[in-house]
Amino acid sequence: MKESTRGEDGDGTHRRNTGDSESYFHLAVSGQLESAYFPMGPDSGSLFCRYDVVAGPDWELVSGMRSGITQSAKPEGNYRTVVFNMPLEFTMKSTNPYGWPQIVFSMYGNNLWNVETNRGYARIHCPLMGMKRTVRAPLFVPKFSNIWSAAMSWITGVNAEMRDPKILADGSKHKGLATESYGELVVSLQAISRGCNKMGLDWGQSYD
């Protein structure tokens, strides 16, 4: 007797048992936030960094963490480099490439008055399948919109901060934002995919 492929709901109606009938492809990203580099040294004795993974509405986190925070770290011997070596590892799935995952970084440190303040933001796109790369992402700090606020920032050592840094992943939401840059983050990432062929996605090579 042929096994039925239909099940029965609680109300007595029949439905087809298709399991995971939707088509997905998976993207596994791994790497690390290696360090921060400041040409004339950081303005803080120690720094820490928060990261947030941001993706489009069709992307779902399968494993790993969507956000995390590094340990506090101080400059190395040359006083320009702060080493974090923070692991980054997560897997996501999606039905289409729209809203490709990005990672937004927020750097913090104490000023001369020992008050915690923003030391810069940065963002990068996750690499395409099969690629491994090291990125030097510029760090930038938002500028105050008026002279009075800018003067108070200079006196107090407290920089302007973004209420939600994740908007940096959407160009339409931070259009016109005035910033100044100083320093950069060094991030190494690699990506592995599964399920691209069945989705008809072609990255120039086959990685399935």
Side-chain angles (χ1 to χ4, degrees):
M1 182 176 179
K2 188 175 180 179
E3 183 178 356
S4 173
T5 59
R6 301 178 69 87
E8 186 171 283
D9 288 329
D11 58 0
T13 59
H14 289 273
R15 60 178 175 78
R16 188 170 184 177
N17 184 14
T18 58
D20 189 8
S21 59
E22 293 189 70
S23 294
Y24 294 95
F25 71 92
H26 289 74
L27 178 70
V29 179
S30 62
Q32 63 179 357
L33 166 58
E34 296 183 357
S35 61
Y37 174 78
F38 301 90
M40 299 180 65
D43 294 329
S44 300
S46 62
L47 297 168
F48 70 92
C49 189
R50 173 189 172 90
Y51 76 86
D52 293 282
V53 179
V54 184
D58 297 321
W59 290 80
E60 179 182 342
L61 185 68
V62 176
S63 65
M65 296 192 300
R66 192 177 291 273
S67 62
I69 300 177
T70 71
Q71 78 284 2
S72 293
K74 295 184 177 182
E76 296 287 295
N78 65 4
Y79 78 83
R80 298 184 180 91
T81 303
V82 180
V83 177
F84 295 109
N85 288 333
M86 171 71 169
L88 301 170
E89 187 170 0
F90 57 90
T91 300
M92 305 189 80
K93 70 177 183 179
S94 180
T95 55
N96 67 81
Y98 176 77
W100 195 264
Q102 301 180 59
I103 306 178
V104 177
F105 298 93
S106 306
M107 184 80 66
Y108 299 94
N110 292 341
N111 59 18
L112 292 174
W113 315 108
N114 203 32
V115 176
E116 184 180 294
T117 186
N118 162 48
R119 292 302 181 191
Y121 302 98
R123 71 180 178 98
I124 62 173
H125 279 86
C126 294
L128 290 175
M129 289 63 162
M131 297 179 62
K132 181 178 181 180
R133 63 172 182 163
T134 298
V135 179
R136 305 183 75 91
L139 281 165
F140 61 88
V141 178
K143 296 177 66 175
F144 284 103
S145 57
N146 59 73
I147 296 177
W148 172 250
S149 297
M152 289 300 297
S153 173
W154 183 80
I155 294 172
T156 62
V158 177
N159 294 325
E161 296 192 24
M162 303 185 69
R163 182 174 300 176
D164 183 10
K166 293 191 288 294
I167 67 170
L168 295 173
D170 187 340
S172 65
K173 293 183 178 180
H174 62 86
K175 186 177 181 179
L177 177 66
T179 65
E180 54 185 357
S181 61
Y182 177 64
E184 58 188 14
L185 290 182
V186 181
V187 185
S188 62
L189 291 175
Q190 61 182 346
I192 300 174
S193 71
R194 178 170 59 85
C196 293
N197 284 349
K198 70 177 182 179
M199 294 286 294
L201 299 174
D202 184 4
W203 313 106
Q205 312 180 42
S206 176
Y207 300 111
D208 284 352

